[in-house]
Amino acid sequence: MRASMMDLVTMRETPTNAVAKSHAFMLRTGLIEPESAGVFSYTALAVRSMLKIEQIVREEMNHAGGQEIRLPVLLSADPWKQTGRWDSMDVLFKLEADGTQFLLGPTHEEPITLLAKKRIRSRSQLPQRWYQITPKFRKEKRPRAGVLRVREFIMKDLYSFDADAKGMDRSYDAMVRAYWAIFTRCGLTTLFQTQADSGAIGGDASEEFIVPASSSAGECEIVHCTECGYTANIEKASCTIPPWKEEALNPMEKLHTPNAGTIAEVSAFLGVTPERLVKTLIYEAKYKGAQTEVFAILIRGNLDVNEVKLKNALGSECISVKPAMIPDIEEVTGAAVGFAGPLGIQCPILADGSVVGIQNFVSGANDTDYHFVNMNWGRDVKSPDKVVDVRSVRAGDCCPRCTNALEAYTGIEVGHVFKLGTVYAEKLKATFQLADGSHQPFWMGCYGIGIGRIMAASIELHADERGVVWPVAIAPYHCVVIPANLAKHGDEAGNIYRDLCDTTDVEVVYDDRDFSFGVKIADAELIGYPFIIVVGNKGIEVRTRMTGEVTSLLSLYEAVGMVSQGVETALYFANSNAH
Ligand SMILES: [Zn+2]
């Protein structure tokens, strides 16, 4: 391709609205153009990369027994009402035409379960693994970080149908293997597979594939143990609390603590560490059927509540949790905000495991400006009977498996796999027949990969201060040929370009634009061609973008051979590492 004929528009400056590295570089290289908040057009350069990613995904899905299908994007509302997600998922784009309700597919569990119901009659037809690579729509309230949190995106979603739990596990394991192969081939060399919260998809178990990224791009936090390999999303992670050291029990006292309503103020006023405080937080839970409940959660003063873990601890009937309103807090405590405690509070109590075993602790007295000190479980206040794990896990906390200190990362979720069990099949009455004539619901799994996210994660992982650094396998083009001076070196550069086109599989751009050498080389580095061939007064040189290596004084044939071999080798190693 001649650069003069390409849609090539780059920016020297970082756009002010782009905080994430990948967002900034995707705008500067002209890979994307914003359409509206969270909606982008992808330019020719981006589509070349996306098609390569899609092809890798397709090959690995087919290799793992997947069959490609295409479901509609415009979906009937009824099945979503049957599963309850019409009301419970707040990201649905809902439409109406001639009095009939529709939605734009955010994911496709409902329609594919109904498709399976129509097509799979007997056990002998199982297992089936069906996938598609299509646009998805989610009404994100706050789109951010370029293509990372968006309202329209391309996703590969595969759904597995099996006869029993064992079959579902086999499909799940096959997909996990395929995912590692995909991400390896795409050059996502640093990757974590973590336990995750199932969120709106639901089901028995789920894991995410996370690429570490700068905090401005990362949208999820994970913790990782380098000792035993434990890895979990922060919404799922747990940590071990070191046991409380036995001490002699002191008599409880109620102390005047004027204006000390926060953990820091109380600790400072009483001269105790926050670890000795039992923090009492008042929350309101919303349950299915619009029922709400105000309750207290007890946690160590130095720890925080993770609200996703709290919601999950309340069971599947709970839709959401949020801190209670001030009047509700005052009603259950009979005091101003900041003085809540377990003794005498007028609402149900949940306790995080961190407060179990604690002795001579401090808590609010449910009396404005008063705290209890030297409070003890059993003696002064009933031991909490509902103990849960809702604490936020942070870097340095103890690994729940081996007690080594955990490390924390922010990252980009590039894939998510779920064991759904029979939940969708039961709700949509999708069954198959056994030999004895009885009917069983399908055991399902679902497996998503964001195509744009792989592109963004790759940029986050490999880009340097000069621009994008593409792994060969997903680069829009493999190579650019730049004449240092078009009039002087154009003929020779043109010969190299034609030789690469005619005799190799290298995808090459010839930068024949009437720009200065400085502009062209800056563009080449910004766009991130894996190989840059420069033809100048000092002969021919090949620059390798990923390593920064420069090889000079080459003949035309040496340069062509080097790039062609470089591309071939990179693709070969990406493939052989993946399988
Ligand atoms: Zn560990």
Side-chain angles (χ1 to χ4, degrees), residues 224-230 398-406:
H224 175 70
C225 172
T226 50
E227 191 68 27
C228 73
Y230 171 80
C398 293
C399 172
R401 289 203 195 134
C402 76
T403 74
N404 185 48
L406 291 165

Side-chain angles (χ1 to χ4, degrees), residues 335-486:
V337 172
F339 300 93
L343 185 55
I345 198 162
Q346 297 301 313
C347 66
I349 296 177
L350 279 182
D352 179 71
S354 60
V355 302
V356 174
I358 181 171
Q359 294 172 317
N360 295 327
F361 58 86
V362 175
S363 89
N366 298 317
D367 190 357
T368 304
D369 288 342
Y370 283 92
H371 277 82
F372 286 116
V373 297
N374 295 323
M375 186 182 259
N376 284 285
W377 297 121
R379 187 192 70 179
D380 307 315
V381 60
K382 193 169 157 287
S383 293
D385 38 33
K386 190 152 186 224
V387 177
V388 289
D389 175 359
V390 297
R391 53 193 174 273
S392 273
V393 180
R394 293 169 293 206
D397 285 345
C398 293
C399 172
R401 289 203 195 134
C402 76
T403 74
N404 185 48
L406 291 165
E407 291 176 359
Y409 299 90
T410 54
I412 296 171
E413 175 199 322
V414 287
H416 203 156
V417 292
F418 301 81
K419 289 183 187 178
L420 297 173
T422 56
V423 50
Y424 285 92
E426 279 175 30
K427 283 180 179 165
L428 296 167
K429 301 188 172 45
T431 60
F432 62 95
Q433 202 168 22
L434 294 169
D436 65 5
S438 65
H439 287 266
Q440 290 278 325
F442 298 116
W443 285 78
M444 292 171 55
C446 78
Y447 316 87
I449 282 185
I451 303 298
R453 278 168 174 256
I454 291 185
M455 200 158 55
S458 170
I459 294 173
E460 287 288 333
L461 201 58
H462 300 298
D464 60 20
E465 67 290 344
R466 285 169 295 162
V468 177
V469 179
W470 289 107
V472 169
I474 63 170
Y477 290 91
H478 299 142
C479 176
V480 61
V481 182
I482 304 177
N485 178 312
L486 192 57

Side-chain angles (χ1 to χ4, degrees), residues 14-89:
T14 300
T16 48
N17 63 335
V19 188
K21 182 160 80 170
S22 53
H23 186 195
F25 279 136
M26 287 177 95
L27 289 170
R28 286 186 55 197
T29 50
L31 290 167
I32 54 171
E33 284 288 349
E35 183 66 28
S36 60
V39 181
F40 293 94
S41 294
Y42 292 87
T43 64
L45 217 50
V47 169
R48 287 184 68 93
S49 174
M50 290 168 84
L51 288 176
K52 290 181 182 183
I53 296 169
E54 288 177 17
Q55 189 53 27
I56 290 170
V57 169
R58 191 170 274 123
E59 285 170 17
E60 296 301 333
M61 287 297 104
N62 294 347
H63 183 72
Q67 302 165 77
E68 189 163 1
I69 61 163
R70 196 63 61 91
L71 293 162
V73 165
L74 185 63
L75 303 172
S76 308
D78 287 345
W80 296 75
K81 290 180 179 169
Q82 258 173 280
T83 59
R85 292 209 293 181
W86 181 258
D87 294 317
S88 68
M89 270 183 96

